[in-house]
Amino acid sequence: MMESDLQTPIDSEEITFSHIPVLSQEVITGLNIQPGGHYLDLTVGGGGHSRLILEAAEDVKVTAVDQDLDALNAAKANLAEFGDRVKFIHSNFANYAFPANTYDGILADLGVSSYHLDQPERGFSFRNAANLDMRMNQEQSLTAADVINEWDEKELADIFFQYGEERLSRRIARRIVEKRPFQTTTELADAIAYSVPPKYRHGRIHPATRVFQALRIAVNDELKVLETLIDKAPLALVPGGRIVMISFHSLEDRLVKHGLRNSPMLKVLTKKPIIAGEEEIAQNVRSRSAKLRIAEKN
């Protein structure tokens, strides 16, 4: 499944770092939140899921992690009323020092947030002209412009195929190398659109959607980071503690599915992923791609 809602138009003229928590009730049920419990939110975003966790039982504590300072600052403001029940940490979750046998539950809501898509200057979307950035952690050096303008044709074709599941990857990579350098998201999207056949150009999703997904994954090394997370996180759970992971495309979900199943420390509680119902999808279109899986520490 693709993140086909990547370019969904937004209604609000003024964009704030709001976080509509996806599969909110399913997350709370899956974490099995207990009074006095300590929970780790590895992708706090605007704080939507963390708020639900804090409100679910008495004296709950949350450690909130995010690699994006904008997100962390927004979460601090949104969760200020909970005081010292929340601890904030600026880190990529793969680099987080998971303390052994500490948490009653761990949540990872993967992928790109609505905020990132809706902030043109961050360069995740081609709805508006913006610099080719796509860094979730703006302190890192590698940007999407570096990848597009400096990587060779084979490297580009490989990431488009592997990370975007783009079947015209070679053709698109050839066109990009011919036409570069590119400065903006819209320049790149237009070049991609004109490198594919008309039938493909006017399909259900914009022909640049898969390439933009692939670029974002490459810039942020998302799949390697996810593998590291699945390897480390179970160590930080107490026995009987649960890990809940939400993925938004098939590459992530495949890693989550097999990673949880193959961990000797975990018992998988979801034979099939939990998905959003019609009512939630109607309220939040981006929930339609979400898949939730739960596992419990032995």
Side-chain angles (χ1 to χ4, degrees), residues 16-138:
T16 58
F17 205 131
S18 62
H19 180 191
I20 303 170
V22 174
L23 296 166
S24 56
Q25 188 53 55
E26 293 84 352
V27 166
I28 299 306
T29 302
L31 286 170
N32 190 29
I33 294 169
Q34 301 297 314
H38 190 180
Y39 298 87
L40 175 63
D41 186 347
L42 287 167
T43 47
V44 68
H49 281 121
S50 279
R51 170 174 288 278
L52 295 172
I53 293 168
L54 290 157
E55 291 174 345
E58 291 292 319
D59 300 320
V60 168
K61 292 189 292 183
V62 167
T63 296
V65 177
D66 209 290
Q67 65 180 329
D68 189 323
L69 277 173
D70 287 349
L72 214 58
N73 289 330
K76 284 178 182 177
N78 293 342
L79 302 174
E81 68 197 80
F82 298 101
D84 59 8
R85 289 169 59 191
V86 192
K87 178 183 178 184
F88 296 95
I89 295 174
H90 178 225
S91 174
N92 181 302
F93 52 59
N95 297 327
Y96 177 63
F98 289 90
N101 300 307
T102 299
Y103 299 110
D104 298 283
I106 297 174
L107 170 64
D109 181 6
L110 305 169
V112 65
S113 72
S114 298
Y115 168 79
H116 288 132
L117 294 174
D118 296 342
Q119 289 285 347
E121 68 272 14
R122 298 297 293 268
F124 287 95
S125 168
F126 47 81
R127 278 201 312 268
N128 303 99
N131 289 334
L132 283 161
D133 191 330
M134 297 195 191
R135 293 171 298 166
M136 290 185 184
N137 179 358
Q138 292 190 293

Side-chain angles (χ1 to χ4, degrees), residues 21-31 49 106-110 242-249 253 256-257 260 268-276 280 287-295:
V22 174
L23 296 166
S24 56
Q25 188 53 55
E26 293 84 352
V27 166
I28 299 306
T29 302
L31 286 170
H49 281 121
I106 297 174
L107 170 64
D109 181 6
L110 305 169
R242 292 184 176 183
I243 182 166
V244 173
M245 304 189 73
I246 305 172
S247 58
F248 287 87
H249 57 75
D253 183 58
V256 172
K257 176 184 176 181
L260 296 181
V268 175
L269 302 182
T270 44
K271 287 185 177 179
K272 291 185 176 180
I274 297 168
I275 60 175
E280 178 172 0
S287 69
R288 68 186 171 194
S289 303
K291 292 184 176 181
L292 182 151
R293 296 184 186 271
I294 307 164

